[in-house]
Amino acid sequence: GVVSTLAGSEAGFRDGSAQSALFNSPVDVAVDAGGRIYIADMANQRVRLLAGGVVSTFAGGREAGTRDGHVGEARFHWPQGVAVSADDVFVSDTFSHRLRRIHGARVTTLAGSDAGYGDSPAPPRFNYPWGVAVSGGVLYVADRNNERIRRIYF
């Protein structure tokens, strides 16, 4: 029944010690096997990392967008959900209507493009992907405006 703050204190953006770090709409967290915490910092357009008492930007940047590439150059548009497997971090990039994969220092689009409904046309499109979870080689996605739970084998 004890609640304590791990990091953050008010709205804003600042990397640094857990006590001095600032978030702007942190909406989801995932923890890897090593105890590192990944945070979908939605309004900051970033995935943040809390490890060893320090918050840092794991991927993304100040401007909203949809760009794959190196974690420092990649862009997200309202990252909403985050999930972690042994080798990857998965992000539901809600306003980009995409599921993104971070492997090593690279961000790629795993699935999705412009907003769409249903399972066709190919490739499948998402309409505000929200929550994500990973188990084995499967990513589960709450595809909010399509009213579906989807799975992606990776």
Side-chain angles (χ1 to χ4, degrees):
V2 176
V3 176
S4 61
T5 299
L6 293 175
S9 61
E10 60 188 59
F13 172 78
R14 182 169 51 225
D15 284 339
S17 71
Q19 295 77 23
S20 68
L22 300 178
F23 298 95
N24 195 356
S25 295
V27 293
D28 198 14
V29 297
V31 182
D32 71 12
R36 294 174 296 234
I37 302 171
Y38 298 83
I39 303 119
D41 192 4
M42 187 173 68
N44 277 323
Q45 313 302 339
R46 293 173 167 97
V47 176
R48 311 279 293 281
L49 175 65
L50 173 57
V54 175
V55 173
S56 60
T57 296
F58 185 68
R62 178 174 35 188
E63 300 88 25
T66 304
R67 182 185 315 151
D68 289 343
H70 185 272
V71 292
E73 298 170 359
R75 295 293 175 259
F76 297 93
H77 196 178
W78 290 72
Q80 181 73 35
V82 62
V84 179
S85 71
D87 298 321
D88 300 294
V89 176
F90 297 94
V91 180
S92 60
D93 196 5
T94 302
F95 280 23
S96 290
H97 308 285
R98 290 166 169 78
L99 282 299
R100 313 286 290 285
R101 180 186 205 169
I102 305 169
H103 182 83
R106 304 280 310 162
V107 176
T108 58
T109 297
L110 182 64
S113 59
D114 296 326
Y117 291 95
D119 295 323
S120 61
R125 296 188 296 172
F126 296 85
N127 200 332
Y128 296 102
W130 211 260
V132 292
V134 64
S135 179
V138 181
L139 180 67
Y140 297 91
V141 181
D143 190 2
R144 191 180 111 187
N145 285 7
N146 275 327
E147 312 298 341
R148 289 170 166 80
I149 304 302
R150 315 280 291 274
R151 66 181 166 204
I152 301 168
Y153 297 92
F154 60 93

